């Protein structure tokens, strides 16, 4: 397993090109199954999760060419509509192929998914929604077996809980269903909007994306298109929090207006962190200014609130801050596994239920730590950048699921960091 070694307490100065969004790329790749025409996707990040989704597509008789950040996909009818546990077990987003397969071919058999162990994250909302559209679904031997006689039927589906994945799966399934599907209490994330825009380019009839009510009018066939993946707001936020923890200045490039505005808003309680849009939102300048951090209370929420995917990184960035610092995790019940590893480096964190309080320390000390999930791994990188001495982060395969060349991007900005392959 690879390790990352960091020599801490170095200022971060330079430019970083933000990659395409992981959380946008995966559903858009899955949506390519909806058409037999050639699909072209730009700004695709080279991540282990992306490569895994491509393997899944290839197992379903898709021909995929992936060169640099450009992906070309041509799908033919699969010989087998079963997707095995070996392909699905490592990534929860793999379950997003269920809706496209079922609506296009009337049948699918997909293993229950795996992914980071940060909570239960059940797929019941996906299954209930597809059942309401007429699918017959059973679960046997760890596989979700779905079929429909004829076509899925448009209907009104109101989620009892906001779910990004369920919104994506039902929206994709509805594009080729008969009639109109109204998704209520839908997720409003920018990645949902990016997927909808991609589907619209293929010919889908969708309105309301980005709001709590999405309306999809089914059509018979989807066509070829070309699409550019939005920038990864979680990667951009992670690098901004590196500046918060270490000081310095970063110019984040390959951005857009919406992501810049989102980051400016969610980081507004962090007074020492100054963010300013440049080049009409194509760049975001991030600096740490000389301001005191008096009191911060942040709660993770669905978009447009503070993302749960940045909670661990925020925690790390505040470990040497003064003031009253309190974070509450509202999305996943088990997203605190990074706390014990941060404590190995001298962090003073009190955890009670879903709330954590951070008591700032003067110094963090480098240590050997272990990544437990994707976002926890980046929090340990931030802590290592802040620490005195050498930090070794183990199990960085978690990091590779969601960050493209993170250590190289930091190295180009004055950080002493390197990967060791064993």
């Amino acid at each position: 397993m690879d390790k990352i070694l960091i020599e801490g307490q170095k200022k971060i100065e330079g430019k970083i090109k933000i990659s395409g969004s992981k959380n946008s790329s995966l559903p858009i790749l899955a949506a390519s199954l909806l058409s037999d025409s050639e699909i072209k996707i730009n700004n695709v990040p080279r991540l282990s999760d992306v490569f895994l989704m491509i393997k899944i597509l290839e197992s379903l008789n898709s021909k995929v060419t992936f060169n640099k950040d450009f992906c070309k996909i041509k799908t033919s009818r699969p010989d087998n509509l079963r997707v095995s546990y070996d392909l699905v077990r490592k990534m929860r987003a793999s379950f997003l192929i269920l809706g496209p397969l079922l609506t296009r071919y009337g049948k699918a058999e997909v293993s229950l998914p795996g992914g980071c162990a940060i909570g239960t994250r059940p797929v019941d909302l996906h299954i209930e929604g597809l059942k309401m559209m007429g699918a017959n679904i059973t679960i046997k031997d760890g596989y979700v077996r779905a079929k429909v006689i004829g076509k899925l039927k448009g209907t009104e589906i109101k989620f009892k809980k906001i779910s990004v994945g369920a919104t994506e799966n039902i929206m994709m399934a509805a594009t080729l269903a008969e009639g109109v599907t109204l998704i209520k209490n839908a997720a409003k994330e920018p990645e949902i909007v990016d997927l909808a825009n991609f589907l619209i380019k293929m010919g889908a009839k969708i309105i309301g994306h980005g709001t709590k009510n999405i309306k999809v009018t089914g059509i018979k066939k989807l066509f070829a298109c070309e699409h550019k993946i939005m920038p990864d707001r979680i990667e951009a936020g992670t690098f901004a929090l590196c500046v918060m923890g270490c000081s310095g200045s970063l110019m984040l490039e390959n951005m857009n207006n919406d992501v810049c505005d989102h980051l400016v808003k969610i980081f507004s309680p962090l007074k020492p962190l100054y963010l300013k849009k440049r080049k009409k939102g194509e760049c975001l300048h991030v600096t740490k200014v000389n301001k005191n951090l008096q009191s911060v209370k942040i709660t993770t929420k669905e978009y447009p609130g503070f993302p749960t995917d940045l909670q661990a990184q925020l925690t790390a960035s505040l470990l040497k801050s003064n003031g009253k610092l309190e974070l509450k995790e509202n999305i996943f019940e088990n997203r605190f596994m990074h706390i014990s590893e941060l404590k190995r480096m001298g962090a003073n964190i009190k955890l009670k239920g879903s709330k954590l309080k951070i008591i700032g320390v003067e110094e963090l000390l480098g240590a050997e730590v272990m990544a437990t999930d994707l976002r926890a791994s980046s929090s340990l990188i931030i802590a290592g950048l802040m620490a005195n001495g050498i930090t070794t982060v183990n199990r960085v395969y978690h990091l590779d699921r969601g960050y493209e060349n993170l250590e190289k991007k930091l190295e180009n900005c004055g950080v002493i960091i390197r990967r060791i392959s064993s």
Side-chain angles (χ1 to χ4, degrees):
M1 292 185 186
D2 289 1
K3 301 178 181 181
I4 287 181
L5 270 63
I6 308 161
E7 184 178 327
Q9 298 191 322
K10 300 288 187 295
K11 267 192 176 184
I12 301 177
E13 302 277 354
K15 299 178 181 179
I16 289 177
K17 181 182 177 183
I18 298 303
S19 300
S21 167
K22 168 203 177 226
N23 291 336
S24 185
S25 296
L26 298 177
I28 285 175
L29 287 169
S32 69
L33 292 167
L34 292 165
S35 175
D36 59 4
S37 300
E38 187 174 80
I39 304 299
K40 297 177 181 178
I41 311 172
N42 297 293
N43 204 33
V44 181
R46 300 184 72 82
L47 307 170
S48 60
D49 274 11
V50 167
F51 288 117
L52 182 55
M53 182 62 84
I54 288 173
K55 279 188 177 180
I56 291 171
L57 295 179
E58 289 174 336
S59 76
L60 293 167
N61 208 20
S62 293
K63 184 179 180 181
V64 183
T65 304
F66 191 15
N67 184 19
K68 294 183 179 179
D69 67 351
F70 177 76
C71 197
K72 187 165 64 176
I73 307 168
K74 183 75 166 62
T75 297
S76 302
R77 185 179 181 90
D79 298 324
N80 188 348
L81 291 165
R82 176 185 171 98
V83 183
S84 73
Y85 171 74
D86 285 340
L87 288 172
V88 173
R89 63 187 175 88
K90 294 181 180 179
M91 182 178 68
R92 192 158 205 86
S94 57
F95 201 66
L96 293 173
I97 62 173
L98 180 61
L101 287 179
L102 184 58
T103 196
R104 186 167 176 207
Y105 300 112
K107 183 180 178 182
E109 191 170 334
V110 181
S111 172
L112 287 167
C116 288
I118 56 174
T120 53
R121 300 201 290 180
V123 294
D124 59 323
L125 296 178
H126 305 237
I127 292 171
E128 288 170 11
L130 292 170
K131 282 182 175 180
M132 291 177 69
M133 298 177 75
N136 181 1
I137 299 178
T138 58
I139 300 175
K140 185 177 180 181
D141 301 327
Y143 281 82
V144 175
R145 299 176 179 179
K147 61 181 178 179
V148 62
I149 298 173
K151 301 285 290 182
L152 292 173
K153 303 293 191 297
T155 188
E156 182 177 304
I157 299 169
K158 184 174 182 179
F159 292 130
K160 58 187 177 185
K161 181 180 178 182
I162 295 173
S163 167
V164 172
T167 300
E168 291 167 338
N169 230 336
I170 298 303
M171 186 165 63
M172 289 187 285
T175 59
L176 296 177
E178 290 181 352
V180 176
T181 301
L182 182 61
I183 307 170
K184 292 190 171 183
N185 201 29
K188 299 185 285 186
E189 271 72 2
E191 295 80 11
I192 297 283
V193 176
D194 203 24
L195 171 62
N197 288 337
F198 169 73
L199 293 169
I200 290 168
K201 287 179 182 178
M202 295 173 74
K205 295 182 178 180
I206 303 172
I207 59 173
H209 42 294
T211 75
K212 64 180 180 180
N213 295 316
I214 300 174
K215 181 180 177 182
V216 185
T217 302
I219 59 175
K220 291 184 177 180
K221 187 176 175 64
L222 293 174
F223 303 96
C225 78
E226 187 165 349
H227 183 76
K228 182 180 179 181
I229 299 290
M230 64 172 280
D232 196 313
R233 62 191 174 102
I234 304 303
E235 183 196 17
T238 299
F239 285 123
L241 290 171
C242 287
V243 174
M244 179 67 197
C246 305
S247 76
S249 174
L250 281 179
M251 186 68 77
L252 304 181
E253 301 177 331
N254 196 34
M255 298 285 282
N256 68 24
N257 250 316
D258 291 342
V259 172
C260 286
D261 288 342
H262 174 59
L263 293 177
V264 170
K265 180 182 177 182
I266 64 169
F267 290 142
S268 60
L270 306 179
K271 300 305 180 185
L273 194 63
Y274 180 67
L275 297 89
K276 186 174 180 61
K277 291 194 294 184
R278 306 284 188 187
K279 295 184 180 179
K280 298 180 180 179
E282 293 178 6
C283 300
L284 183 66
H285 190 208
V286 183
T287 54
K288 189 173 182 182
V289 296
N290 189 22
K291 287 186 178 180
N292 290 328
L293 192 65
Q294 299 291 336
S295 177
V296 172
K297 288 188 177 181
I298 292 178
T299 300
T300 62
K301 295 179 181 177
E302 293 87 358
Y303 186 86
F306 194 92
T308 181
D309 279 354
L310 284 174
Q311 178 259 110
Q313 301 92 307
L314 175 63
T315 301
S317 75
L318 296 175
L319 293 177
K320 294 170 71 175
S321 300
N322 296 321
K324 297 178 180 179
L325 312 171
E326 184 177 293
L327 308 181
K328 184 178 181 183
E329 174 58 54
N330 262 358
I331 308 299
F332 295 125
E333 71 278 6
N334 194 31
R335 199 156 209 173
F336 293 114
M337 290 187 288
H338 51 288
I339 301 301
S340 60
E341 297 301 299
L342 292 174
K343 285 182 176 180
R344 289 171 57 81
M345 303 175 71
N348 189 353
I349 303 172
K350 308 295 183 185
L351 177 61
K352 185 176 181 180
S354 62
K355 290 184 180 180
L356 59 87
K357 291 184 178 181
I358 302 168
I359 299 91
V361 296
E362 289 189 7
E363 187 175 54
L364 294 172
L365 298 175
E368 187 150 354
V369 292
M370 179 181 69
T372 53
D373 62 69
L374 168 53
R375 304 307 172 185
S377 63
S378 56
S379 78
L380 299 177
I381 297 289
I382 293 174
L385 296 174
M386 298 164 61
N388 182 14
I390 304 294
T391 297
T392 303
V393 182
N394 294 282
R395 294 174 68 179
V396 294
Y397 60 84
H398 287 295
L399 191 76
D400 298 334
R401 291 187 55 222
Y403 294 94
E404 183 179 25
N405 297 325
L406 180 137
E407 69 275 13
K408 291 181 181 178
K409 291 180 179 181
L410 287 172
E411 188 178 27
N412 290 335
C413 295
V415 172
I416 299 176
I417 182 171
R418 69 181 188 276
R419 179 180 291 247
I420 297 176
S421 299
S422 54

